[in-house]
Amino acid sequence: MMKIDVVSLFSGGGGLDLGFKKEGYNLVWAIDNNPNAIATYKKNVHENAICGDINEINLDDIPKADVIIGGPPCQSFSLAGNRNVEDARGQLVWRYLEIIEHVQPKAFVFENVTGLLSAKNSNKEHIIELLKQAFRDRGYTINAKVLNAVEYGVPQKRKRVIIVGLRNGETFDFPLPTHGEADGLLPYVSVEEALGDLPAAVVDENARVKYLTEAKNGYQKLMRKNAGEDVSEHFISKLSELDKYIIKHVKPGGNYMDIPADVKSERIRRLQRDGGHTTCYGRLRPECPSYTINTYFNRPNVGCNIHYSEQRLITVREALRLQSFPDDFEIVSTSKQGRNLIVGNAVPPILAGVIAKKLREYLEGEND
């Protein structure tokens, strides 16, 4: 297998990197400004990672590599935000370009949220088109596509913009979906298929919980492949009495419309009256994939985070499973929200692996 060196920018906890590592890539250097993310990365991916401000890094300190991967922080382009592309987070996109120009990799993989597609600068120009042209100006043939992780075996509907650039003049063809409802495709991996073998969640945040059953399907076997006899991060979030009341009334696949109208929450009554935000206060359906796992899955009011059969929210381990992180992946964090940020911001490793496998075909073909 050809040795392919990779530099990772805005690496987070390493979801994208894990996919490339699984496909045999050699991860030589990574950077992120989140200390918890870097500590997690070092524990699970490799030690060649630094915590720092990417704008202050001397470009000459970044090692040469065949591939650069990474997604600049996406809040500026998030559909949930104000899409202010002039702020510092938006400008990090252009730092990514500077590094591409300096390192001159054979290929790059750029990941971001779908809000990037509609983001404009102060001159009303579409950022995505400026970005594509900037990559072309630096000698890359590029292809961009919105990929949905659920179509590649991840038990989660999660759409992301992926741009792949090649310096050899070829155009990267994205891998075709493997899962879906069309003839010839595998069925989507459901929430219950993803989580059904996990033991009962516990109260102790630091406890390791032993598996009580064997893996029941291919996805569970894949998640447990290197995990041993127990699993971490499988604890119950603390709930207020209001949260407990809400969870008690929401049925699988339901949301705030299931909650009695006398609930002591003006926000819920407003949602019931005006509609919108249909995943808020949602409970997962066992027979379907989950909705997008965000950074607030420890709350019932931000997304569909209620367990499909138990009267609680999903655990960190369950969120990791829905993101396709293996059970031997352990988070290092000084805070609960720091832990959730690592999970919710990550690229699903299975999706990353699919892209990495396809990209290897181009790089090995070029080498031949």
Side-chain angles (χ1 to χ4, degrees):
M1 185 178 285
M2 175 183 169
K3 180 175 176 286
I4 305 173
D5 290 341
V6 176
V7 158
S8 172
L9 310 177
F10 313 101
S11 60
L16 189 59
D17 303 55
L18 277 180
F20 275 76
K21 183 178 180 179
K22 177 180 176 294
E23 293 301 323
Y25 287 73
N26 182 38
L27 299 162
V28 297
W29 192 82
I31 185 171
D32 197 277
N33 68 350
N34 182 326
N36 292 323
I38 286 296
T40 298
Y41 189 100
K42 287 184 175 183
K43 185 175 182 64
N44 295 278
V45 186
H46 70 80
E47 286 289 330
N48 301 326
I50 63 171
C51 184
D53 184 341
I54 199 166
N55 285 318
E56 296 180 359
I57 291 292
N58 186 329
L59 295 182
D60 290 330
D61 291 338
I62 302 174
K64 294 298 180 182
D66 302 297
V67 179
I68 286 180
I69 63 174
C74 57
Q75 292 92 333
S76 296
F77 305 130
S78 173
L79 294 173
N82 62 9
R83 282 180 272 184
N84 174 16
V85 298
E86 307 299 341
D87 70 19
R89 292 169 298 188
Q91 296 300 327
L92 288 171
V93 170
W94 311 114
R95 182 61 167 174
Y96 186 100
L97 275 164
E98 285 184 79
I99 294 171
I100 292 283
E101 186 170 18
H102 182 79
V103 176
Q104 290 287 299
K106 296 176 182 177
F108 68 84
V109 176
F110 175 97
E111 174 268 341
N112 221 288
V113 294
T114 55
L116 174 62
L117 299 177
S118 55
K120 297 180 181 180
N121 64 11
S122 57
N123 295 323
K124 306 301 181 184
E125 299 168 302
H126 279 96
I127 294 296
I128 183 69
E129 296 306 323
L130 296 175
L131 193 55
K132 288 178 182 178
Q133 189 57 51
F135 283 130
R136 294 189 190 104
D137 291 345
R138 286 157 178 77
Y140 292 88
T141 304
I142 61 106
N143 196 6
K145 190 172 183 179
V146 175
L147 298 187
N148 192 340
V150 75
E151 296 181 342
Y152 298 90
V154 178
Q156 179 194 170
K157 298 174 182 177
R158 188 182 189 91
K159 292 182 178 180
R160 288 296 185 269
V161 175
I162 306 293
I163 303 175
V164 178
L166 295 170
R167 210 174 65 202
N168 64 2
E170 290 189 86
T171 299
F172 180 82
D173 287 329
F174 284 93
L176 296 173
T178 53
H179 294 66
E181 297 174 347
D183 291 342
L185 296 180
L186 296 168
Y188 293 133
V189 180
S190 73
V191 167
E192 188 168 35
E193 287 173 323
L195 308 181
D197 65 314
L198 288 170
V202 297
V203 175
D204 185 356
E205 293 183 20
N206 300 311
R208 299 192 65 90
V209 190
K210 286 192 174 183
Y211 299 108
L212 299 179
T213 65
E214 295 296 319
K216 302 169 186 174
N217 56 53
Y219 188 83
Q220 293 172 9
K221 289 177 182 176
L222 180 63
M223 294 297 100
R224 290 169 61 164
K225 185 176 179 181
N226 300 310
E229 296 182 352
D230 55 23
V231 68
S232 65
E233 313 288 349
H234 193 43
F235 59 89
I236 301 170
S237 298
K238 292 181 180 179
L239 297 171
S240 67
E241 290 304 312
L242 176 60
D243 288 344
K244 292 176 183 177
Y245 179 82
I246 290 167
I247 289 172
K248 177 182 176 182
H249 288 92
V250 179
K251 64 181 183 294
N255 62 8
Y256 51 79
M257 294 303 295
D258 296 324
I259 304 167
D262 63 356
V263 63
K264 295 179 180 179
S265 168
E266 178 57 35
R267 180 169 189 258
I268 292 176
R269 288 195 293 271
R270 186 172 64 252
L271 285 168
Q272 291 175 336
R273 182 185 67 242
D274 301 335
H277 301 285
T278 55
T279 61
C280 283
Y281 301 98
R283 187 187 286 271
L284 297 165
R285 293 181 62 177
E287 73 277 14
C288 298
S290 79
Y291 292 102
T292 301
I293 299 298
N294 57 40
T295 57
Y296 295 100
F297 58 84
N298 61 324
R299 301 181 186 177
N301 63 324
V302 187
C304 185
N305 302 321
I306 304 174
H307 191 275
Y308 60 91
S309 65
E310 299 182 17
Q311 302 305 310
R312 60 172 178 81
L313 301 174
I314 57 172
T315 67
V316 176
R317 178 54 56 192
E318 287 165 336
L320 285 165
R321 277 272 186 109
L322 295 173
Q323 278 275 59
S324 77
F325 279 88
D327 284 1
D328 63 335
F329 189 92
E330 296 184 9
I331 296 176
V332 181
S333 177
T334 56
S335 69
K336 292 179 183 178
Q337 191 53 34
R339 183 188 282 132
N340 298 344
L341 282 169
I342 291 168
V343 181
N345 284 333
V347 177
I350 283 181
L351 177 61
V354 169
I355 297 167
K357 184 176 182 179
K358 186 71 174 181
L359 181 59
R360 178 175 278 280
E361 295 176 14
Y362 286 85
L363 296 173
E364 290 186 339
E366 178 184 339
N367 193 52
D368 291 341

